[in-house]
Amino acid sequence: MTDNQLWPMRSVERDRDAVGNSKRRMPLLVAMVALVAVVASACAGNSSNDTNGATGTPVQGGTLDVGLTIDITSLNPYDGSGDTTSMILANLNAQLFKDYDHKVVPALAESLTRSADGKTATVTLRKGLKFSDGTPITPEDVVFSIEQAKAGSAYGSLYKEIITSEKASGEDKVDLTLVRPTPNLEALLSFPRAAIIPANFGGKSKSEYLQKPVGTGPYMFISRQPGVSIQLKKNPNYWDSGKPYIDTLDFQVFNNNNALTSAFQAKTVQAIPFAPEASIPSLTGANIVNTAAAATEMFFINGRTGPLSDVKVRQAISMAIDREAIVKGLRGPGDKPTATFVPASVLGSAHPAPVKGGDIEAAKQLLAASSYKDGATIKVIYPTGDDTLANTVQAMQAEVAKIGIKFDLQALDQGAWVNDVLGGKYELAYQNISANGTTADTTMQFFIASGAYGGGWSTDVAKSALTKYQTATDAAGQAAALDEFQNWLSAELPVIPTVWLRPSLVLKGSVAGYQGLDTVTQQALPFEGLWLNKS
């Protein structure tokens, strides 16, 4: 999911068939397609991480038809949630900085300088910047945008707790007053939640602006039919001169994987982000790009009452799960077994937690030492719409049954699942959590902001580790902060991580420019660097 997102709901108003026609149907909610990895087989086409995807001279023009199974939830860069939403917003908006080849580099900003005590930062903007409608970008726009980021419901506190004030200074500068020295400030200003938009929504109300937003990204918004399509066009005023290469991105929303697969085979779709694992073997003639592992699949645990309030029960469940066997039998080779909460893409030099599990005898001993030595029945909720996730939960149900734990599985639509989790109306809830950006700030922040997923867990260690992580002056300091957080997680088990997810991007042979995409997350997929070779 997204950024650390749990609730990308989709309101479907129409079905599309394989060639893009639509028909009326009843509105419904379809749960998120989890980030899944490529099934590497001959029939799946070519698996390409960094091969010849960027060879040749970029070609200008054309329309790229992109197939989705999840519609966007919002065009608000500060509150929109879901993998698809993040990807669309990443192409509509730009930030002061951006991630490039594992480094944070200037984007709309030309530079950032700090005062001697590190508590004031001055951002200098590039010359001649414009929004997609041609309006000049000013320091006042940056000030307004930071204010909006600080007001965001999920990640606002990430900015509020660091930036105490923002003030325009002259024609091209913004002064930021900080609570403390923040070495990774540039990274925080590169997150999608730090998008730069027009001050005062360009003179419109917020709701009016979000109907047709004006952005700073490589593409500009043209139209949207909810549940059917989103169309973006090249931004002629994009700050990175010469890009994007493709003129139009036409995102088509399909209500099931079979329809999407048929459209790809019929050549009405040329790209599939977050490709469903089950569909990949039938996508003949495709280039498969494994992008960065940006999500961790896990159980969220409500530890307030009942069996799960006993740490020995939690440990027994974790020990009984054979992560290696599940990944080998049910997942693609891009997925990896894990007991680590933080997604691999932002783990840095922190120590991955050792994968412990698949030891039934050890699990039985842990349960015998608990207050529920005779076993227990535990309700497990998981979102509908993803066969791979459902099969994974069912496999784990069979494993814990061997130690006397019965999983009562209940599949809920995404909206009901989210409401139950955030309301603490669950025992175990299975889903994945994604990284938002290039560092682990948002992963820890979301643990804090969600009240540890409605499970009643303390967030004190997370808050302490987040502060240490943000004030660390080197990778070793950041790793130590993450290790502190993850060691606490391993001891208390407020969550039980199971699988690292590495999603697949499927492209037709005509799509080029994908070299290096294995280092980026699909939530921030840079369509600006792709082009279409002419046949």
Side-chain angles (χ1 to χ4, degrees):
M1 301 176 62
T2 192
D3 18 65
N4 304 317
Q5 292 149 354
L6 307 180
W7 41 86
M9 294 189 298
R10 172 188 167 207
S11 175
V12 180
E13 295 187 356
R14 297 175 184 264
D15 280 339
R16 280 182 171 268
D17 62 22
V19 294
N21 298 319
S22 60
K23 58 185 179 180
R24 292 295 302 174
R25 62 169 289 146
M26 295 296 291
L28 55 95
L29 293 172
V30 178
M32 179 189 75
V33 175
L35 300 180
V36 293
V38 60
V39 175
S41 63
C43 64
N46 305 314
S47 179
S48 304
N49 283 341
D50 57 356
T51 53
N52 62 354
T55 58
T57 303
V59 178
Q60 296 279 350
T63 295
L64 179 66
D65 296 299
V66 184
L68 307 171
T69 55
I70 301 292
D71 196 6
I72 64 174
T73 61
S74 172
L75 288 169
N76 185 342
Y78 310 108
D79 283 320
S81 62
D83 292 330
T84 298
T85 301
S86 296
M87 181 180 65
I88 298 293
L89 290 172
N91 284 277
L92 286 174
N93 298 290
Q95 294 75 35
L96 295 171
F97 294 86
K98 71 172 188 174
D99 177 54
Y100 178 76
D101 194 22
H102 296 301
K103 297 185 293 290
V104 177
V105 299
L108 298 178
E110 183 179 87
S111 64
L112 184 148
T113 58
R114 291 173 168 83
S115 61
D117 65 0
K119 292 186 177 181
T120 301
T122 298
V123 176
T124 301
L125 299 177
R126 293 180 184 270
K127 304 294 184 184
L129 293 173
K130 295 180 180 180
F131 286 105
S132 57
D133 65 355
T135 305
I137 298 174
T138 69
E140 287 75 18
D141 296 313
V142 175
V143 168
F144 179 79
S145 299
I146 293 175
E147 291 171 348
Q148 295 302 302
K150 291 165 71 173
S153 59
Y155 301 102
S157 57
L158 189 64
Y159 296 96
K160 282 190 296 187
E161 292 176 8
I162 293 174
I163 303 172
T164 58
S165 70
E166 50 284 329
K167 182 179 179 182
S169 176
E171 296 181 354
D172 62 353
K173 291 179 172 57
V174 176
D175 294 328
L176 304 177
T177 303
L178 311 177
V179 171
R180 56 182 178 268
T182 308
N184 71 334
L185 180 61
E186 289 90 338
L188 294 175
L189 296 176
S190 74
F191 294 167
R193 306 294 180 175
I196 304 304
I197 67 172
N200 301 313
F201 303 109
K204 300 178 181 178
S205 69
K206 182 177 180 179
S207 60
E208 289 175 331
Y209 171 80
L210 293 177
Q211 291 299 310
K212 192 169 184 179
V214 172
T216 48
Y219 288 91
M220 54 193 292
F221 179 83
I222 298 300
S223 65
R224 179 193 177 204
Q225 289 180 272
V228 178
S229 65
I230 308 105
Q231 189 177 69
L232 312 182
K233 282 197 174 183
K234 174 191 284 192
N235 176 4
N237 299 301
Y238 186 47
W239 68 270
D240 194 355
S241 181
K243 291 183 178 180
Y245 304 121
I246 295 172
D247 285 341
T248 304
L249 300 179
D250 188 2
F251 295 90
Q252 304 171 33
V253 183
F254 297 82
N255 91 305
N256 61 67
N257 295 337
N258 290 336
L260 177 56
T261 300
S262 297
F264 189 85
Q265 293 169 336
K267 299 182 180 180
T268 58
V269 163
Q270 301 151 293
I272 304 176
F274 309 109
E277 179 183 354
S279 301
I280 290 176
S282 61
L283 299 175
T284 56
N287 288 314
I288 312 295
V289 182
N290 286 333
T291 52
T296 304
E297 212 167 85
M298 66 185 74
F299 284 107
F300 306 124
I301 299 174
N302 189 338
R304 290 187 174 92
T305 60
L308 294 170
S309 64
D310 189 326
V311 67
K312 293 296 184 182
V313 175
R314 303 195 296 272
Q315 291 172 344
I317 292 171
S318 183
M319 185 62 71
I321 297 171
D322 191 340
R323 296 164 175 82
E324 297 276 0
I326 286 172
V327 168
K328 184 177 180 180
L330 297 175
R331 317 299 289 249
D335 290 357
K336 303 293 182 185
T338 185
T340 300
F341 174 78
V342 177
S345 62
V346 295
L347 191 60
S349 57
H351 299 87
V355 177
K356 297 179 181 179
D359 190 333
I360 296 301
E361 290 307 313
K364 286 180 178 178
Q365 292 174 16
L366 286 165
L367 190 64
S370 76
S371 301
Y372 294 83
K373 61 182 179 181
D374 295 326
T377 297
I378 299 172
K379 185 174 79 171
V380 180
I381 61 172
Y382 65 96
T384 58
D386 182 0
D387 291 342
T388 301
L389 185 144
N391 291 337
T392 299
V393 174
Q394 290 163 13
M396 291 186 286
Q397 178 189 41
E399 290 178 334
V400 300
K402 298 173 185 176
I403 67 170
I405 297 289
K406 179 182 178 181
F407 277 179
D408 176 14
L409 303 184
Q410 296 188 19
L412 304 178
D413 70 54
Q414 189 73 17
W417 186 92
V418 169
N419 289 336
D420 282 1
V421 169
L422 294 185
K425 301 175 183 178
Y426 72 100
E427 291 183 279
L428 281 178
Y430 198 72
Q431 184 55 293
N432 68 53
I433 184 170
S434 303
N436 181 348
T438 57
T439 68
D441 299 74
T442 55
T443 304
M444 288 187 281
Q445 176 60 34
F446 198 71
F447 185 90
I448 297 166
S450 67
Y453 313 115
W457 300 100
S458 169
T459 57
D460 291 344
V461 174
K463 290 176 180 176
S464 172
L466 179 58
T467 298
K468 293 176 182 177
Y469 183 87
Q470 292 174 335
T471 56
T473 58
D474 55 25
Q478 289 188 329
L482 283 183
D483 286 342
E484 175 186 328
F485 179 47
Q486 296 202 129
N487 288 340
W488 176 80
L489 289 172
S490 296
E492 290 296 317
L493 286 182
V495 295
I496 299 177
T498 55
V499 182
W500 265 343
L501 305 174
R502 191 177 185 190
S504 301
L505 170 66
V506 177
L507 301 170
K508 280 290 187 184
S510 59
V511 183
Y514 53 82
Q515 186 180 38
L517 290 186
D518 58 318
T519 68
V520 302
T521 66
Q522 289 193 50
Q523 291 91 341
L525 188 64
F527 282 95
E528 64 194 87
L530 300 180
W531 68 84
L532 299 172
N533 284 322
K534 296 181 179 178
S535 57

